[in-house]
Amino acid sequence: MEYKQLQKSEEIRDVIRYLQKFKNAVAVIYLDDKTIHSDLFSSHICDIALLHSAGIKVVIIPGARTRIDQILNDSKLDWTYQDNIRITSEEAMPLIKMAAFDVSNTIMTSLAANNITATIGNWVRARAKGVVDGLDYGTAGEIDRLQVEAIKKVLEDGFIPIFPCIGWNSVGHPYNISTLNLAQQVAIELKADKLFFVMQDINGLSKDNQIIPAMNLEEVDAFLEKSKNNIESQSVNILNLAKEACKKGVSRTHIVDGKLDGVLLTEIYSNLGSGTMIYTSNYGKIRSMEQTDIPAVLALMKPFIESGKLLPRSEEVLSKSFQDYVVYEIDGAIHASAALHLYQDCQAEIAAVAVDENYAHMGIGPKIINFLIDKAKKINAKSVFILTTQAGDWFEKLGFKKDEVDSLPAERKAIWNPKRNSKVYRLK
């Protein structure tokens, strides 16, 4: 019961921490057409209204494919796709424009029902895609530039700007542009703190049947290479758009499932989130422990102490040895800790390893162990050992080999407790 209360408290701390962090942040949200036409649409709009009310500057780019298909079908006008780009005749353009504004108006009306004022604008300058390799792309266009200052003024005035998938050239000729590319470009130009792709057709962003919560740019490349034969082209496209956005200044890009209620709120206001986040290098980090971290580390250790996996440690003990500890921090919250103790005969001990079980699947444990192994090498330790009662298999996976208690340095062997009967594992 006490542990559940601790979890609830930490969740509330997360929310307060992120409310402070993202006040006045810019979030560009792409809603795909299936999400817009789903039963959860109203719930997503309600959540967007809550984000806006919490001080986040929201921009919405709605997908309109389903509505455009419907209107073109009703008018018996044909179209084709090339590289996911719709190719139509000129007579289809007024209908495409009407469909795009229909969807944008649906978003605006739904926001109004939540007491949020939005506006639909023509902030996109476009040019014809033209003829490529002999193929005439007709009404398809590409983004030329955005009226960034006008968009910023709308945001400063407290409105939510909504972008239909239409751009105009300098003489007012309209073109149909990709909403995915538009969302990415708007986020880049506004230097957005967050770019969201809220979609219902993204598959393959998982490992061992669990959603991958976060990947840095190097991990995205490795994932795409490893999964190239098992991942859909749409997922590849989204990952590449996300990666490019981060490279060009967007702090974080999130790919979330539009079929999940509350997905935007949990992705913003919790460390773990509910989708896949693409980031550069400022998400999770290992750093030295500070005196002010002691209460958080003790709270992290508590369930491991109660289960017998860790020996009890007091605030006084940690205060005397906190220089030996490192912590894994995510957006100001500590989710793992461990210590490296050095003994006189150049043996080093990794001790007090604790990883928040909600974050264990993110690979934090191996990261913090490898960090301490590298640290041991830098201080010329001959070997690294650990003492454990229940995690022997886990350490063996990391390369440690079972050893004898007699191999321990005299200082450490003197306090080894035969009643606890901890096993020794060593890495040379």
Side-chain angles (χ1 to χ4, degrees), residues 309-371:
K309 294 177 181 177
L310 284 184
L311 287 169
R313 286 168 174 82
S314 65
E315 186 169 346
E316 183 182 359
V317 167
L318 288 186
S319 294
K320 291 178 179 178
S321 60
F322 75 91
Q323 296 95 337
D324 289 356
Y325 282 77
V326 295
V327 296
Y328 194 96
E329 180 185 76
I330 298 176
D331 287 335
I334 292 170
H335 292 287
S337 64
L340 183 73
H341 305 307
L342 185 65
Y343 295 93
Q344 288 183 346
D345 58 355
C346 291
Q347 292 189 54
E349 178 188 11
I350 292 177
V353 180
V355 179
D356 186 335
E357 63 178 14
N358 293 315
Y359 293 74
H361 65 287
M362 291 177 62
I364 292 174
K367 286 178 182 177
I368 206 165
I369 294 298
N370 287 329
F371 180 88

Side-chain angles (χ1 to χ4, degrees), residues 183-185 187-189 191-197 215-218 220 238-255 276-283:
Q184 182 209 48
Q185 196 62 36
I188 291 170
E189 293 292 331
K191 296 180 173 60
D193 299 274
K194 289 186 175 290
L195 167 60
F196 284 91
F197 291 109
M215 288 189 281
N216 61 32
L217 302 188
E218 293 76 18
V220 171
I238 295 297
L239 281 172
N240 282 322
L241 287 169
K243 185 179 72 170
E244 193 64 23
C246 289
K247 279 184 176 180
K248 293 185 177 179
V250 176
S251 297
R252 298 174 187 178
T253 302
H254 304 259
I255 305 164
T276 297
M277 182 180 76
I278 310 303
Y279 64 100
T280 48
S281 59
N282 60 342
Y283 178 55

Side-chain angles (χ1 to χ4, degrees), residues 261-278:
D261 195 6
V263 70
L264 284 166
L265 299 182
T266 53
E267 188 69 11
I268 290 183
Y269 292 125
S270 69
N271 279 331
L272 196 57
S274 53
T276 297
M277 182 180 76
I278 310 303

Side-chain angles (χ1 to χ4, degrees), residues 139-197:
T139 59
E142 295 181 334
I143 300 167
D144 196 14
R145 62 184 177 86
L146 301 173
Q147 296 182 344
V148 176
E149 294 307 314
I151 302 166
K152 288 181 178 178
K153 181 66 168 60
V154 171
L155 290 170
E156 290 298 325
D157 289 342
F159 299 136
I160 292 182
I162 303 171
F163 285 71
C165 58
I166 305 295
W168 288 263
N169 68 8
S170 58
V171 295
H173 188 87
Y175 294 102
N176 182 198
I177 57 178
S178 163
T179 46
L180 289 170
N181 290 339
L182 178 58
Q184 182 209 48
Q185 196 62 36
V186 170
I188 291 170
E189 293 292 331
L190 292 178
K191 296 180 173 60
D193 299 274
K194 289 186 175 290
L195 167 60
F196 284 91
F197 291 109

